[in-house]
């Protein structure tokens, strides 16, 4: 394997890992605020790593420029969308999840 192939493999594995973490976060976290936080951070990083692998695979080409622009777009829009969702939940009066005082283990 060439160093380029190893880098692509590492980036794809990292992207898949963080995409899996985002999916688990959506399923396991208790409320909209924590789900939004967990999904936006992990999903942004996972997609960014996968698109970086795409850019390395194509080399110096127009497709690599497009992949880099997609990474930039995702780094701007994903946190913005997560903030908008959390703000909409707050405007609707959705309370953050907290543990009950008598429920400590």
């Amino acid at each position: 394997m060439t160093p380029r192939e190893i880098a692509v493999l590492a980036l794809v594995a990292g992207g898949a890992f963080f995409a899996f973490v985002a999916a688990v976060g959506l399923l396991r976290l208790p409320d909209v605020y924590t789900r939004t936080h967990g999904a936006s951070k992990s999903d942004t990083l996972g997609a960014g790593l996968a698109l970086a692998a795409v850019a390395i695979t194509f080399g110096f080409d127009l497709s690599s420029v497009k992949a880099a622009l997609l990474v930039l777009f995702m780094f701007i829009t994903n946190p913005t969308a997560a903030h908008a969702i959390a703000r909409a939940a707050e405007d609707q009066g959705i309370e953050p999840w907290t543990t009950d005082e008598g429920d400590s283990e």
Side-chain angles (χ1 to χ4, degrees), residues 78-89:
N78 279 1
T80 305
H83 178 78
I85 291 169
R87 185 169 215 164

Side-chain angles (χ1 to χ4, degrees), residues 19-103:
F20 178 74
V21 168
V24 169
L26 283 175
L27 295 173
R28 298 285 298 165
L29 294 173
D31 68 346
V32 68
Y33 301 107
T34 55
R35 288 178 185 164
T36 302
H37 178 76
S40 70
K41 304 295 183 199
S42 299
D43 188 39
T44 301
L45 185 57
L49 290 174
L51 285 170
V54 168
I56 291 174
T57 300
F58 286 132
F60 293 109
D61 193 13
L62 181 62
S63 298
S64 296
V65 173
K66 290 178 182 179
L69 289 174
L70 279 171
V71 169
L72 178 66
F73 180 74
M74 289 195 64
F75 278 146
I76 293 170
T77 57
N78 279 1
T80 305
H83 178 78
I85 291 169
R87 185 169 215 164
E90 182 186 9
D91 289 344
Q92 291 294 317
I94 298 174
E95 294 292 324
W97 177 82
T98 58
T99 59
D100 295 327
E101 291 294 324
D103 205 23

Side-chain angles (χ1 to χ4, degrees), residues 2-16:
T2 65
R4 185 177 182 176
E5 291 172 341
I6 292 171
V8 169
L9 184 62
L11 288 170
V12 168

